[in-house]
Amino acid sequence: MRKSIQAGIGLLALVAASAAPVAAQTPWLHVRVEEAKDASKVSVNLPLTVVEAVLRATPDLIESHGRIHFDREFDRAHGRHGLKLADLRRAWKELAAVGDAELVTVESDDENVKVVRKGDLVQVFVDHKPRTDKEGKVKKGAEQVRVEIPVSLVDALLSGEGEEANIEAAIVELKKRRGDIVRVQDDDSHVRVWIDEQNTQTPAPAGK
Amino acid sequence: MVKLAILLGVPIAMLATVASLGVVVVDVREGGPDGNHIVVPVPLVFAQAALAIAPMAAPVDKLRVPHEAAEHMGLAREVLEALAAAPDGEFVRVEERDQQVVITKEGRTLKVHVTGKRENVTVNVPLHLALQALPGPDGRIRTAALAGALSSVRFTDLVDVRDGNDHVRVWVW
């Protein structure tokens, strides 16, 4: 009898031990939007499994097997010859060999844009300068956009063939990612997108 | 004495049987001193029977969702299944000056809670029921499956609306 109870407790402990890490490691995508003017706060917390299903629910965007096909018809119809994904893939491979580098720098009257590869991250910095009217009054304040994309995520996105971006592989990579992905800050609003393993919005340490 | 027992016993037994199979209760309380209180109990078995015979009584096209909607049902199913399998948590919270909307998942139920200045609305969506309510790949609503799923939502508060002094509640007992 005692052995049976011990065996039962052992079995329960084994089940609990095997179940606990699964629950703890569920990655959650969090979105937080705060607008001071409207005093509104929006928070969205979704398990990545649901995000994956939602992404599949956009058939116009994802045509088959989780791959985005770039809009060749649109380009043709509008006489445009944008950057082909295959070209981007080739360029990305060459950049991978270079290592850390400032990939893009654009400085203009309105904004500064910088794309940097640093370690395992591609960082995008966009700084919109405050806009003023003819009288010099500020029409719109400064705006800062910070986007951090893991290199492995770009690798996964570009792991398709031809003009296809591989969303399924990208989601697999996102599941491994923890920390901030996007931060947008302007004079009125604040947007933050991040991934962690909590089902509520206890902020993750900034930047990671 | 035996006759009286039979006279009382049969309806009581019938009521007990119907009640044991479940009852959907719509409870409306109007505010104010002259406010009405209306309670409409609908035995679940009646609703299930109506759903079961619906394909025979209603024209086929009435039980079919439009083609444009039908082609997205597989994906809707996928999303609902992902939600059902997802861990519990607060999925959405919108806070504005006068209103708050919170969507949470607890077990296999999606709870939508809207709080305003005057009104307070709670809607509980059993994911299992929502899944069964989705039409099949041919666009036909599977009323028999829906009828079967109704019994799984017993002892659930489906809707609770408070608007000022008015109160409407729908629950399955």
Side-chain angles (χ1 to χ4, degrees):
Chain A
M1 180 68 180
R2 202 172 170 181
K3 276 186 181 170
S4 300
I5 292 170
Q6 281 174 342
I9 291 170
L11 197 65
L12 276 174
L14 197 67
V15 169
S18 60
V22 173
Q25 285 171 5
T26 304
W28 286 70
L29 180 80
H30 303 279
V31 181
R32 175 88 171 166
V33 182
E34 289 179 15
E35 289 188 342
K37 197 172 79 182
D38 302 325
S40 75
K41 290 175 191 167
V42 177
S43 41
V44 177
N45 313 296
L46 287 174
L48 269 176
T49 47
V50 176
V51 177
E52 200 175 349
V54 171
L55 277 174
R56 275 196 219 118
T58 49
D60 294 341
L61 182 66
I62 300 166
E63 290 177 9
S64 62
H65 309 299
R67 285 157 192 258
I68 291 180
H69 296 253
F70 274 62
D71 205 345
R72 284 156 285 183
E73 286 76 22
F74 182 87
D75 279 353
R76 256 183 242 129
H78 293 79
R80 292 182 185 176
H81 303 284
L83 185 65
K84 297 282 180 201
L85 197 64
D87 300 334
L88 191 63
R89 191 176 290 120
R90 210 173 304 124
W92 180 249
K93 267 186 190 164
E94 285 176 19
L95 283 170
V98 174
D100 288 4
E102 201 166 294
L103 306 177
V104 179
T105 305
V106 179
E107 286 183 12
S108 70
D109 293 342
D110 297 333
E111 63 184 18
N112 293 339
V113 179
K114 198 160 73 170
V115 182
V116 179
R117 181 177 167 159
K118 194 177 174 188
D120 61 347
L121 290 176
V122 175
Q123 295 172 312
V124 182
F125 303 93
V126 182
D127 291 302
H128 289 280
K129 293 171 185 171
R131 279 176 228 161
T132 52
D133 59 16
K134 286 174 184 171
E135 293 160 0
K137 283 184 187 170
V138 176
K139 270 166 66 183
K140 191 167 186 348
E143 185 181 308
Q144 281 188 332
V145 180
R146 298 285 178 266
V147 182
E148 289 193 343
I149 308 162
V151 169
S152 55
L153 183 64
V154 183
D155 287 341
L157 263 175
L158 297 179
S159 65
E161 287 175 7
E163 292 301 297
E164 290 176 343
N166 195 341
I167 291 292
E168 272 184 3
I171 287 180
V172 169
E173 277 307 313
L174 271 181
K175 283 178 179 170
K176 297 178 197 164
R177 167 89 177 145
R178 301 292 180 270
D180 283 6
I181 301 172
V182 178
R183 264 178 191 269
V184 180
Q185 173 90 54
D186 64 20
D187 53 349
D188 181 50
S189 61
H190 181 207
V191 179
R192 182 171 170 231
V193 182
W194 76 101
I195 296 175
D196 63 22
E197 288 165 7
Q198 297 176 22
N199 63 355
T200 54
Q201 292 210 353
T202 310
K208 202 68 192 160
Chain B
M1 189 65 181
V2 175
K3 275 184 185 173
L4 184 68
I6 291 168
L7 278 173
L8 288 173
V10 170
I12 288 171
M14 281 176 72
L15 274 174
T17 306
V18 168
S20 71
L21 294 171
V23 181
V24 181
V25 183
V26 181
D27 186 334
V28 182
R29 280 172 199 264
E30 288 178 339
D34 301 323
N36 295 311
H37 184 197
I38 304 160
V39 180
V40 184
V42 181
L44 211 55
V45 70
F46 288 2
Q48 287 169 318
L51 280 168
I53 61 162
M56 290 176 265
V60 177
D61 61 315
K62 295 285 177 199
L63 290 172
R64 202 185 284 272
V65 297
H67 178 69
E68 300 78 35
E71 61 188 26
H72 300 298
M73 288 304 147
L75 298 161
R77 182 174 302 281
E78 215 168 310
V79 173
L80 278 174
E81 279 169 356
L83 277 173
D88 290 1
E90 186 180 281
F91 286 176
V92 178
R93 174 178 287 267
V94 180
E95 288 174 5
E96 291 178 339
R97 276 196 191 94
D98 303 333
Q99 205 174 45
Q100 188 187 63
V101 180
V102 179
I103 303 176
T104 53
K105 183 190 171 247
E106 286 175 30
R108 288 180 66 87
T109 305
L110 209 58
K111 297 182 177 235
V112 183
H113 191 67
V114 182
T115 315
K117 265 184 176 171
R118 261 177 63 92
E119 72 280 359
N120 204 331
V121 178
T122 304
V123 178
N124 297 320
V125 184
L127 288 166
H128 176 62
L129 190 65
L131 270 165
Q132 296 301 333
L134 284 177
D138 58 350
R140 287 191 69 173
I141 297 167
R142 296 166 306 156
T143 52
L146 190 57
L150 272 178
S151 45
S152 70
V153 297
R154 287 191 64 191
F155 312 112
T156 306
D157 278 3
L158 294 176
V159 179
D160 191 304
V161 180
R162 283 173 196 271
D163 188 356
N165 293 323
D166 299 336
H167 185 198
V168 178
R169 193 173 160 223
V170 181
W171 79 95
V172 185
W173 184 79

